[in-house]
Amino acid sequence: MSTDHNKSGIAALTLAAIGIVYGDIGTSPLYTLRAVFHSEHGLPLTQANLLGIISLIFWALLLIVTLKYVTLVLRADNRGEGGIMALMALALNSVTPQSKWHLPLLFVGVFGATMFYGDSVITPAISVLGAIEGLEVAAPALHAYVVPIAAVVLIALYMLQSRGTAGIGRYFGPIMVVWFLALAVMGIINVMAAPQIMAAVNPYYAYHFVVDNGFIGFVALGAVVLAITGAEALYADMGHFGKKPIRGAWFLIVAPSLIINYFGQGALLISDPSAVDNPFFHQLGSWATYPLVILSTMAAVIASQATISGTFSMTKQAIALGLLPRMRILHTSASEMGQIYIPMVNWLQLSVVLLAVISFGSSDDLAAAYGIAVTATMSATTILTFFVTRYRWHLPLLLCFGATGFFFVMDVLLFSSTALKLFHGGWFPLLLGVILFTVMLTWRTGRELVFANLQKHAIPLEAFLESLFVAPPARVYGTALFLRGESDGVPHALLHNLSHNKVLHERVVFLTVHMLEQPYVAYEDRLTVTPLGHECYQVNVNYGFKDEPDIPAVLQQCGEHGLPFEMMETSFFIARQTVISTPGQGMSAWREHLFVTMSRNARAAADYYQIPPNRVIELGTQVEI
């Protein structure tokens, strides 16, 4: 019975994975071949070129998606979690903080993450535009309406984010299964009409395409990258679904459907070269254009939704890892912890997506911008995977170089080919990445400067308490809880309270939150309670970067450690830091001002840790950097 239950559970997860994980790569057939043979590439549509391109796409799906991601990278999980942030944390844990590799690995991880943000802006824009462009095939006069319709679809999608996807999410899997089956059926029909396309399975055609076409072939590689966009999502969503459902969905449905459809589009172009303007929507003839537009728009919206949810999840992880300031995070589902909504990220992302849609105007023009973000993230993933295999798994150096070096060479080749489009749209994700990279490193460096300043002026807690109770102040009823940073001595809020109110509560608790470089912390490892004497206690709380900080829940758990709390008798004292930029030290002036601005607008600690606002007493303190 339990075996049947496990099988049905895996089947349900596999169906869900098809809807969430594979939306991005699943919508690539909408625009890939059209972009490859776009007139600006100068690649003529000949049978030899067609066989070469289809062969390149086939082997890219096999080597990069199947071998690299599905086989190798999915093994590098951080306690079940995947994604560039989890991989960066795993790689950083593999080397010591004093290691010469620690800072470069941080830079590579942050760079990869910021490129993912660039990718997450272009995915909704190119997917929805690519779907709506099918209208032009049916009625060329509708060309002027493509961008406005795409903008309306995207605005509606982002406006629905605050309501969550719990209601409509259950339909994502079945809709995407219909989508992949439609891809397979269309592919089979066209392959039967021109079976000679199946020769592209032979890598000989891919090799000769690159060799014979020289620079033009190298440029075309940048468009072939579009076929593997979304591969990073396989890894990023591992924590939600697990390895087995993601691998099962890829091998059983997604990979066969994609491969058959690409071969089908190739066969169509052999039979009817005039279909090159939009091969996808010509696959079944004019009667199927409108149904395909509707189905592809649904698939594009699902692909966009998966990317938006991924952005929210990554932002939450970046906040926990100290790379971004605290933001308002809302939970859109009472049962699903991972379903969150971050208003600031939502509206910022919509603004940039609309800017991309309006500025570029077509999926062909966006294709140049797309590849550079994807290949940059892939390169970062490969580098981090090497350090995990070598320093965490302790595999032989030669094996590690062999396993990751092969993929790194491919990543660099693909990145180089997409970088040729730097001035034709490639600058867009790079600019977004540079801005976010600067923001993240400025926030991290600023926090380090704040901690260094606090530590420099810190009064050791134990020595302070010893001297305080030589002539103890008056004790008042209740519990005072002081939030205390990892590097702090005596909390400033306690010093201010003693200075102004001249009293101490009958029970005093110092609470320190430790954010660990792992996704989750087990319940039994969540906290430790250390008595300091005179009814004073130090409580250390451990969270992973995917855990939900919840101080009231922690206080309930303290009861199991002999330290019960009554919430209505507990006052939370929090020092509100005002950061002041001073010339001649720390960061450059503009970065310090950026950090000060972010610090002022960061979400309050009480709100972030879910402390009841009517129990909070905030006391101000100034910190110079």
Side-chain angles (χ1 to χ4, degrees), residues 382-526:
T382 305
I383 293 167
L384 294 172
T385 303
F386 167 78
F387 279 89
V388 171
T389 56
R390 175 62 182 148
Y391 294 103
R392 190 168 186 89
W393 299 349
H394 304 294
L395 295 177
L397 185 62
L398 201 60
L399 181 61
C400 297
F401 269 125
T404 57
F406 171 67
F407 296 118
F408 187 65
V409 169
M410 285 198 292
D411 291 338
V412 170
L413 273 173
L414 293 174
F415 180 77
S416 303
S417 65
T418 56
L420 295 171
K421 296 293 186 69
L422 185 64
F423 299 107
H424 298 275
W427 58 268
F428 186 71
L430 276 181
L431 178 63
L432 284 176
V434 167
I435 292 169
L436 279 166
F437 186 81
T438 305
V439 166
M440 285 185 174
L441 288 186
T442 297
W443 180 256
R444 183 184 171 91
T445 308
R447 292 305 303 162
E448 286 173 353
L449 290 171
V450 167
F451 288 140
N453 182 289
L454 291 173
Q455 208 162 21
K456 190 166 67 174
H457 299 101
I459 304 167
L461 182 62
E462 287 80 3
F464 174 81
L465 291 176
E466 197 176 311
S467 63
L468 178 69
F469 288 109
V470 171
R475 306 293 286 262
V476 294
Y477 180 72
T479 299
L481 189 146
F482 294 91
L483 284 188
R484 178 171 173 250
E486 292 182 43
S487 60
D488 291 2
V490 180
H492 283 220
L494 173 60
L495 295 173
H496 284 302
N497 188 46
L498 286 169
S499 173
H500 294 287
N501 299 324
K502 317 291 189 207
V503 294
L504 196 66
H505 285 70
E506 65 179 359
R507 190 170 67 163
V508 178
V509 176
F510 303 100
L511 190 142
T512 303
V513 175
H514 301 268
M515 284 293 182
L516 308 182
E517 288 179 342
Q518 62 189 59
Y520 298 104
V521 172
Y523 180 83
E524 59 272 14
D525 300 324
R526 175 76 67 215

Side-chain angles (χ1 to χ4, degrees), residues 85-97 101-107 321 384 387-388 392 444 517:
M85 286 286 185
L87 186 61
M88 179 183 75
L90 195 65
L92 289 172
N93 273 336
S94 304
V95 298
T96 61
W101 297 113
H102 198 270
L103 197 59
L105 283 176
L106 175 69
F107 276 41
L321 288 168
L384 294 172
F387 279 89
V388 171
R392 190 168 186 89
R444 183 184 171 91
E517 288 179 342

